[in-house]
Amino acid sequence: MPPTPDAVPEVGAGARRAVQWSLGLLTAMLLVPLFGPTWGLSSLILAPATAAAMITALVLLRGVRLPGLKVVLAIGIGASAIALLYGLGLVILHDQVQALTDCQANAITETARQVCLDEYEQSYLDLLDEWGLTVPSQLAP
């Protein structure tokens, strides 16, 4: 008699729903900031929600043999952490990013856009100086 494969538990409706929510939130978290810097602040809400949904999905998928899906969910949790840091960076640099956006909206030539970038770089370096932080010389613009 040939050996029978181990009984594989089926994925429940709750786990399926958690995976669908987590993948939908991951998609929104990755696409919404593409609309502009002010939309990037949405990552402060979407990143923790995505991570929570993915952790819930991983917990509900215990005992189910879907290693590929579990790897995708783990990578999504890492992407959520990076998106949260991005959102926090936008909060810290909000004035500088807003000034850059306004300046580039009014810039007509490439030279004017480069001036906007130079002003932005100087403003965030000034902010770092206020906090007592320095940029290594090989990284400084």
Side-chain angles (χ1 to χ4, degrees):
M1 179 177 256
T4 60
D6 296 333
V8 178
E10 287 191 29
V11 177
R16 266 194 221 109
R17 192 171 24 257
V19 169
Q20 289 172 345
W21 270 101
S22 63
L23 294 178
L25 285 169
L26 178 67
T27 302
M29 182 188 70
L30 295 175
L31 292 180
V32 169
L34 295 177
F35 295 136
T38 54
W39 285 93
L41 294 172
S42 67
S43 65
L44 294 172
I45 302 293
L46 290 173
T50 302
M54 290 193 166
I55 290 169
T56 302
L58 281 173
V59 168
L60 293 174
L61 288 173
R62 283 183 308 199
V64 178
R65 291 186 187 149
L66 294 172
L69 179 60
K70 291 179 181 180
V71 168
V72 167
L73 291 172
I75 290 171
I77 292 169
S80 297
I82 292 171
L84 184 61
L85 292 175
Y86 168 72
L88 292 173
L90 280 178
V91 168
I92 292 169
L93 295 172
H94 182 265
D95 295 335
Q96 288 81 5
V97 171
Q98 191 62 44
L100 173 66
T101 304
D102 295 341
C103 182
Q104 286 190 335
N106 295 328
I108 296 173
T109 64
E110 284 300 315
T111 306
R113 288 191 178 137
Q114 186 59 43
V115 168
C116 292
L117 286 174
D118 292 341
E119 289 174 358
Y120 170 72
E121 288 175 357
Q122 189 57 46
S123 66
Y124 80 73
L125 288 175
D126 292 342
L127 180 66
L128 290 177
D129 284 340
E130 285 178 26
W131 290 354
L133 301 172
T134 59
V135 177
S137 61
Q138 66 267 22
L139 299 177

